[in-house]
């Protein structure tokens, strides 16, 4: 008789699913009609349930935030690193002198104090260093880079702040990621007063953009007028516009009005070309 019951049980995966998914009202209806569920149907339903429980499920981490701790793979330059899990990561709220920008790739020399800033970051974050990752309002930029505050796990050293403190980076405010902007302002003020890092080495040069100018008032006024005349039509690519923007922003701000929405990304229409 048992064999007979199994002979009548569903034999395909599709029929198994139908048995498993049979709604309660349908089962009740069958029972009310004097047609109780068969032993075979209950056994197959239980088997399918076990298979579903044992099947692998997609990890939430795959589509959620990055892990709270990551690992340094490589330092790209003073304010950009590669992380094991998050990938390319840009430190929030600061800007170090450029060493690998498009203009350097075309042969231009690194910005004043750029190599020193990169060397400092490399010394603080050698490959394999464990770091804790803290996000702000906007976790990723348009280039897919993680935007983060990094803390060295071994001693909780706040890397973003340390670079500003040692004069290797300037405070760089880009809304909405401004959680520690007030702290960076104070650290920059102290580093500048003490002549640390780029503030002492690049007083008349151009670290992450010009800091001070030794030009005569007349020539300075002429330079400002020329800068104001710039428009997005003068650049062949977004990278070209961004390099120019980063060079002059620390001293003059968005003097040419290239960043209409004030998000730190000039001439964004060039990204669509």
């Amino acid at each position: 008789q048992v064999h007979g019951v199994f002979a009548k049980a569903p034999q395909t995966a599709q029929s198994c699913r139908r048995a498993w998914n049979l709604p309660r009202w349908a089962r009740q209806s069958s029972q009310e009609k004097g047609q109780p569920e068969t032993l075979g149907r209950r056994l197959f339903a239980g088997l399918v349930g076990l298979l579903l429980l044992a099947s692998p499920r997609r990890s939430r981490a795959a589509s959620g935030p990055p892990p709270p701790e990551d690992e340094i793979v490589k330092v790209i330059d003073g304010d950009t690193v590669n992380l094991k899990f998050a990938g390319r990561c840009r430190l929030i709220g600061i800007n170090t002198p450029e060493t690998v920008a498009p203009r350097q790739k075309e042969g231009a020399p690194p910005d004043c104090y750029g190599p020193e800033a990169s060397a400092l970051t490399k010394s603080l974050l050698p490959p394999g260093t464990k770091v804790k990752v803290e996000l702000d309002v906007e976790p990723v930029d348009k280039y897919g880079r993680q935007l983060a505050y990094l803390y060295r796990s071994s001693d909780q050293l706040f890397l973003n702040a340390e670079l500003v403190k040692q004069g290797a980076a300037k405070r760089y405010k880009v809304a909405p990621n401004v959680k520690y902007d007030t702290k960076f302002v104070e650290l920059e003020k102290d580093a500048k007063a003490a002549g640390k890092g780029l503030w002492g080495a690049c007083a008349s040069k151009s670290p992450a953009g010009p800091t001070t100018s030794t030009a005569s008032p007349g020539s300075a006024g002429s330079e400002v007028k020329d800068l104001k005349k710039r428009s997005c039509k003068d650049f062949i690519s977004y990278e070209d516009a961004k390099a120019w923007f980063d060079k002059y922003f620390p001293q003059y701000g968005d003097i040419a009005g290239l960043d209409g929405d004030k998000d730190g990304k000039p001439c964004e229409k060039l990204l669509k070309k």
Side-chain angles (χ1 to χ4, degrees), residues 156-167:
Q156 302 304 308
L157 179 68
F158 186 10
L159 275 303
N160 307 54
E162 185 65 19
L163 292 172
V164 179
K165 180 181 178 180
Q166 295 198 31

Side-chain angles (χ1 to χ4, degrees), residues 89-258:
C89 174
R90 176 66 160 81
L91 303 185
I92 300 174
I94 70 170
N95 189 36
T96 60
E98 299 289 353
T99 59
V100 293
R103 62 180 180 276
Q104 275 91 33
K105 293 178 181 179
E106 294 175 0
D111 289 349
C112 179
Y113 213 76
E116 291 86 348
S118 294
L120 176 59
T121 303
K122 289 176 181 178
S123 70
L124 296 173
L125 299 174
T129 301
K130 301 291 185 180
V131 292
K132 292 184 179 179
V133 179
E134 180 183 1
L135 306 182
D136 208 328
V137 177
E138 184 178 273
V140 180
D141 66 12
K142 288 188 176 182
Y143 312 106
R145 298 182 303 181
Q146 186 79 65
L147 301 175
Y149 305 105
L150 297 185
Y151 301 81
R152 198 164 57 189
S153 297
S154 61
D155 57 4
Q156 302 304 308
L157 179 68
F158 186 10
L159 275 303
N160 307 54
E162 185 65 19
L163 292 172
V164 179
K165 180 181 178 180
Q166 295 198 31
K170 289 185 172 185
R171 163 250 190 180
Y172 187 56
K173 181 180 180 180
V174 180
N177 293 348
V178 296
K179 184 174 183 178
Y180 296 108
D181 184 62
T182 301
K183 180 180 183 69
F184 297 151
V185 168
E186 291 301 317
L187 290 173
E188 181 183 81
K189 181 180 178 181
D190 293 342
K192 187 175 183 179
K196 290 184 177 180
L198 61 85
W199 300 108
C202 311
S204 61
K205 298 179 183 179
S206 178
T211 54
T212 61
S213 175
T214 57
S216 64
S219 60
S222 177
E223 179 185 25
V224 170
K225 288 182 180 180
D226 290 338
L227 294 176
K228 287 183 177 180
K229 292 179 181 179
R230 284 279 186 164
S231 72
C232 292
K233 295 180 181 179
D234 295 324
F235 305 102
I236 60 175
S237 67
Y238 173 78
E239 288 74 18
D240 189 26
K242 187 67 166 65
W244 187 92
F245 180 84
D246 288 345
K247 180 179 179 181
Y248 292 105
F249 184 86
Q251 183 175 357
Y252 299 108
D254 186 16
I255 189 171
L258 304 181

